[in-house]
Amino acid sequence: DARVTQTPRDKVTEMGQEVTMRCQPILGHNTVFWYRQTMMQGLELLAYFRNRAPLDDSGMPKDRFSAEMPDATLATLKIQPSEPRDSAVYFCASGFGTSGSAPEETQYFGPGTRLLVL
Amino acid sequence: GQNIDQPTEMTATEGAIVQINCTYQTSGFNGLFWYQQHAGEAPTFLSYNVLDGLEEKGRFSSFLSRSKGYSYLLLKELQMKDSASYLCALTKAAGNKLTFGGGTRVLVKP
């Protein structure tokens, strides 16, 4: 049963520390998305990649956030330095959406990383 | 930009039917998704509409009217496990990012 995996599942850190979140997309998917969910803002896109190339990172604060895909099986989201306002659940999702037809356009979400910055 | 509106909360009785509406205004539109999210869990895919009309999948159906910027998700024969948030989301192009509405929390009571 193919799934998106994310590590760590939970992270508590202090303000100013670096946080790295990892995502393994479903094998064969060519698009990886990073979303953030908070009570106030809901689910919002931070960045996404297609075939490992960044397509859109306009939702990401560039001064402290960075997203990369070192290879097709790993995506990373890094926050440095972290701040209390970064506390949220960070979801990675993957898909294979270039044909314009469901279910290929469907994005499958990982379990999320719950981040708490004190 | 995009504007997506859904009711914040709905309550219904086990065995009943609930309809969750989603209205949107967007400068570009490709398709509309519905996701279910249980508390503390990840969103899971429910349905996708790209053409006008009704898509039925078991107890769940989704409807889209592109000209009216309107969709609804219909949940029939409600079960307690259907208590969750239901998220409406748009894409502007195939394989593109999802822009989510705020979600509708549905509470199913016995």
Side-chain angles (χ1 to χ4, degrees):
Chain A
D1 173 34
R3 295 185 187 190
V4 176
T5 59
Q6 289 185 247
T7 56
R9 292 295 306 275
D10 290 278
K11 176 74 176 179
V12 180
T13 191
E14 292 187 345
M15 183 172 66
Q17 296 297 305
E18 178 178 297
V19 175
T20 299
M21 292 169 269
R22 293 176 176 81
C23 167
Q24 182 171 13
I26 293 172
L27 189 65
H29 281 183
N30 69 347
T31 311
V32 175
F33 303 81
W34 283 105
Y35 293 92
R36 175 171 64 183
Q37 188 172 36
T38 61
M39 289 294 291
M40 293 300 294
Q41 301 295 329
L43 255 174
E44 51 185 357
L45 180 85
L46 295 174
Y48 79 104
F49 296 77
R50 175 152 305 126
N51 299 319
R52 295 177 55 201
L55 281 194
D56 184 348
D57 61 1
S58 58
M60 202 164 68
K62 308 276 192 314
D63 56 337
R64 299 184 299 108
F65 284 60
S66 60
E68 294 179 349
M69 271 202 82
D71 62 61
T73 64
L74 176 65
T76 63
L77 180 67
K78 195 172 291 187
I79 309 174
Q80 168 62 21
S82 58
E83 296 181 1
R85 61 181 166 151
D86 301 329
S87 297
V89 181
Y90 290 80
F91 288 105
C92 173
S94 74
F96 191 73
T98 56
S99 71
S101 64
E104 288 173 330
E105 275 208 62
T106 301
Q107 296 178 24
Y108 296 89
F109 282 73
T113 294
R114 286 162 185 74
L115 174 65
L116 177 61
V117 184
L118 301 173
Chain B
Q2 293 176 309
N3 192 32
I4 305 170
D5 288 313
Q6 308 179 231
T8 307
E9 223 170 69
M10 301 181 76
T11 302
T13 307
E14 196 175 10
I17 297 173
V18 71
Q19 177 174 314
I20 307 168
N21 296 325
C22 171
T23 57
Y24 62 88
Q25 295 166 329
T26 179
S27 55
F29 177 82
N30 181 66
L32 188 141
F33 288 81
W34 284 95
Y35 278 79
Q36 180 191 58
Q37 187 177 26
H38 285 100
E41 296 183 12
T44 54
F45 170 76
L46 285 179
S47 69
Y48 174 60
N49 294 72
V50 65
L51 300 175
D52 285 357
L54 189 68
E55 296 277 344
E56 296 188 78
K57 242 193 219 183
R59 294 188 299 114
F60 294 1
S61 305
S62 58
F63 171 84
L64 176 66
S65 168
R66 295 172 70 107
S67 61
K68 294 182 179 167
Y70 168 67
S71 172
Y72 68 73
L73 179 70
L74 196 68
L75 315 180
K76 294 181 251 186
E77 299 168 24
L78 278 172
Q79 301 175 9
M80 298 300 290
K81 66 177 181 178
D82 297 331
S83 292
S85 285
Y86 292 84
L87 303 159
C88 170
L90 309 180
T91 56
K92 284 193 173 184
N96 208 333
K97 64 184 181 184
L98 289 168
T99 301
F100 285 88
T104 299
R105 191 161 49 234
V106 171
L107 177 61
V108 181
K109 293 186 172 178

